[in-house]
Amino acid sequence: SDKMSNKNEFRVLRTQPVSSGLGTWAIPNALKQIRQMGAKVFVGDDETENGVIDAITRYSPINIILTTYGKITEKVLQAGAPYLQAIVKSGTGIDAIDFPACKSKGIPVVNIPDYGAAAVAEDALLLLITLSRNYNTISRHTLATGWCDPDIPYVKGNDLYGKKLGLVGLGHIGSHFAMIALGLGMKVFAYDLFVDGETMAELAVCKSKSLEELCRTSDVVAIFLPLDESTKGLISKELISSKTSKNTS
């Protein structure tokens, strides 16, 4: 490629220090494999916009940016021109990446859609149980007094068994969370523009006709959506207040 500094050398910038953040065991292995493929790998130490620009300038030319939380802005893309050919997100969300700027410059952006799906779903379960059983209050009371009577009105929680769970988004994480919730005996409904009712039925999930219906009829609402311009502000106070006695996680 005419964008390569040397046609036999591909240069990759990892924006986050290997010793920090998520995947501290997986990232070194991935970088090792990339090096074994003949690419030169450089590691930055600052994922702010200026930090990424400094790293690009320091190790220029860079052909691929491998980022986790790095701010990939139009200025970053300009700093990488004309050699930069792709942005790889080692994760799911791309809200820190200026996608329109990448598109306008013909720079593809790829992510890992199913990265950590099980782990995130299990974390969501932890939040759900913590809220439904009021465990934060119970923990504080127990630490302060040595015991917490479960019949005290302000610490008494709610059973999840038989409750209706409304999922906003039934992708990799949402579908895994649905499986967990079904195991708890919950009734699972979902609203997703890209998943049809037949596919949901195969997962033992019922399709809601609208987001409003889902929020109005669910005991618990769980949101599993990427943050972008189409989803920002999607869940409003009015929407989740349409039914009383509802938990939102």
Side-chain angles (χ1 to χ4, degrees), residues 174-220:
S175 58
H176 196 96
F177 189 74
M179 178 179 64
I180 295 173
L182 288 166
L184 294 175
M186 301 186 76
K187 302 171 185 177
V188 183
F189 290 71
Y191 175 75
D192 192 308
L193 296 175
F194 305 101
V195 182
D196 58 36
E198 184 177 346
T199 302
M200 288 190 185
E202 293 175 356
L203 300 172
V205 175
C206 298
K207 185 176 179 65
S208 291
K209 295 179 181 179
S210 67
L211 182 60
E212 291 75 15
E213 178 191 62
L214 183 81
C215 292
R216 185 178 66 253
T217 59
S218 297
D219 297 298
V220 177

Side-chain angles (χ1 to χ4, degrees), residues 35 42 121 130 136:
R35 290 188 176 101
F42 304 91
T130 298
N136 284 335

Side-chain angles (χ1 to χ4, degrees), residues 147-169:
W147 170 248
C148 184
D149 189 334
D151 292 325
I152 298 175
Y154 70 86
V155 300
K156 192 172 183 178
N158 298 296
D159 293 339
L160 292 175
Y161 182 83
K163 294 293 194 302
K164 179 175 176 180
L165 168 67
L167 298 176
V168 185

Side-chain angles (χ1 to χ4, degrees), residues 43-249:
V43 179
D45 55 11
D46 183 351
E47 290 206 296
T48 64
E49 179 186 61
N50 288 335
V52 176
I53 290 174
D54 288 344
I56 291 174
T57 302
R58 188 184 320 141
Y59 302 120
S60 181
I62 293 297
N63 304 117
I64 293 180
I65 293 178
L66 174 61
T67 179
T68 300
Y69 305 112
K71 300 296 182 182
I72 309 302
T73 64
E74 187 165 9
K75 289 183 179 179
V76 168
L77 302 181
Q78 290 172 349
Y83 304 102
L84 187 60
Q85 297 183 47
I87 307 295
V88 178
K89 168 62 186 284
S90 56
T92 302
I94 57 171
D95 49 290
I97 301 173
D98 190 336
F99 190 78
C102 291
K103 187 175 181 179
S104 68
K105 295 180 182 299
I107 299 175
V109 177
V110 295
N111 66 345
I112 308 172
D114 58 351
Y115 174 82
V120 175
E122 290 168 11
D123 285 344
L125 173 66
L126 173 63
L127 294 175
L128 174 57
I129 293 178
T130 298
L131 288 172
S132 65
R133 305 308 303 181
N134 206 6
Y135 274 141
N136 284 335
T137 301
I138 292 173
S139 177
R140 288 194 296 268
H141 190 92
T142 303
L143 290 173
T145 67
W147 170 248
C148 184
D149 189 334
D151 292 325
I152 298 175
Y154 70 86
V155 300
K156 192 172 183 178
N158 298 296
D159 293 339
L160 292 175
Y161 182 83
K163 294 293 194 302
K164 179 175 176 180
L165 168 67
L167 298 176
V168 185
L170 195 66
H172 295 283
I173 300 171
S175 58
H176 196 96
F177 189 74
M179 178 179 64
I180 295 173
L182 288 166
L184 294 175
M186 301 186 76
K187 302 171 185 177
V188 183
F189 290 71
Y191 175 75
D192 192 308
L193 296 175
F194 305 101
V195 182
D196 58 36
E198 184 177 346
T199 302
M200 288 190 185
E202 293 175 356
L203 300 172
V205 175
C206 298
K207 185 176 179 65
S208 291
K209 295 179 181 179
S210 67
L211 182 60
E212 291 75 15
E213 178 191 62
L214 183 81
C215 292
R216 185 178 66 253
T217 59
S218 297
D219 297 298
V220 177
V221 175
I223 305 161
F224 298 104
L225 296 173
L227 177 61
D228 57 30
E229 289 303 316
S230 68
T231 60
K232 187 176 182 180
L234 182 67
I235 307 298
S236 64
K237 180 180 179 180
E238 292 73 23
L239 198 60
I240 61 175
S241 298
S242 60
K243 178 180 177 179
T244 58
S245 301
K246 174 165 71 263
N247 294 319
T248 302
S249 62

